[in-house]
Amino acid sequence: MSEPAGFWRRLGANLLDGVLFLIVGIIISLLINDRFVNTEPYVNVLSFLYTLLLPVFWSGFTVGKRMLGIRITKKDGRNVSFGNMFMRTFMAGILYALPILISFIIIAFTADDAVVELLFGYDSAIGDGGDMVGVLVPLLIGLGLSGILLLISALMIGVRNDKRSIHDFIAGTVVVYGQGTETR
């Protein structure tokens, strides 16, 4: 098996992919509207599909990973499958985002209608007069828990010999240095 890729190389590849999607978002915005507008929903869907599918069809690479000479493989070194990438992308995304999602649900059910309208852009038929503390506490807890999970993943990449993070364990994958010569 190839040498596992470390934290900084993986972060750099993710940042390069992020810049790519910033550019894609601007282009989509200009094509749709002849001016820059919020294209976040389109870009989020494209980014998800890119992260999910491109490594399956391109030997574990995304553009950022290819530029930095790393790729995603199964633990045994074989190319990733759709199932691996689904677990890595979708399920791990849920894991990292779930605390924030739960905090938003709590806010929607407990916060004052004016606060819900300000945060979410619609009037809550459920809110019963909570105040800003009722918004900040769940939000900070959700952000804190998500941050802790991300920090644990980063530390796992930094200190473990196999450099596997939480989402690598969920999916049975590892990010390695390599050019992608393995077969399915």
Side-chain angles (χ1 to χ4, degrees), residues 1-143:
M1 187 171 87
S2 299
E3 178 185 356
F7 174 79
W8 295 110
R9 185 69 58 111
R10 290 172 67 155
L11 178 63
N14 284 328
L15 291 174
L16 287 169
D17 287 332
V19 168
L20 172 71
F21 272 92
L22 176 65
I23 293 167
V24 167
I26 291 169
I27 291 170
I28 289 172
S29 176
L30 294 173
L31 288 174
I32 292 175
N33 299 303
D34 293 332
R35 60 187 163 84
F36 184 74
V37 296
N38 182 10
T39 58
E40 186 177 356
Y42 307 112
V43 173
N44 286 343
V45 169
L46 286 174
S47 176
F48 174 76
L49 292 173
Y50 166 87
T51 305
L52 175 67
L53 297 176
L54 191 60
V56 174
F57 296 111
W58 198 21
S59 300
F61 291 106
T62 63
V63 172
K65 283 179 176 56
R66 182 69 174 203
M67 290 173 70
L68 295 183
I70 61 175
R71 70 188 196 106
I72 306 164
T73 68
K74 292 181 181 179
K75 268 180 40 176
D76 63 9
R78 292 181 298 139
N79 284 343
V80 291
S81 66
F82 177 81
N84 295 118
M85 290 310 300
F86 178 80
M87 293 299 287
R88 183 181 168 89
T89 306
F90 184 73
M91 297 306 292
I94 288 174
L95 172 72
Y96 294 130
L98 190 60
I100 296 172
L101 178 63
I102 291 170
S103 70
F104 280 132
I105 292 169
I106 291 169
I107 291 167
F109 280 92
T110 62
D112 183 80
D113 289 343
V115 173
V116 172
E117 187 173 355
L118 176 70
L119 288 175
F120 302 110
Y122 65 89
D123 186 18
S124 169
I126 303 168
D128 61 358
D131 57 13
M132 283 306 288
V133 172
V135 171
L136 291 177
V137 170
L139 186 59
L140 291 175
I141 291 171
L143 289 171

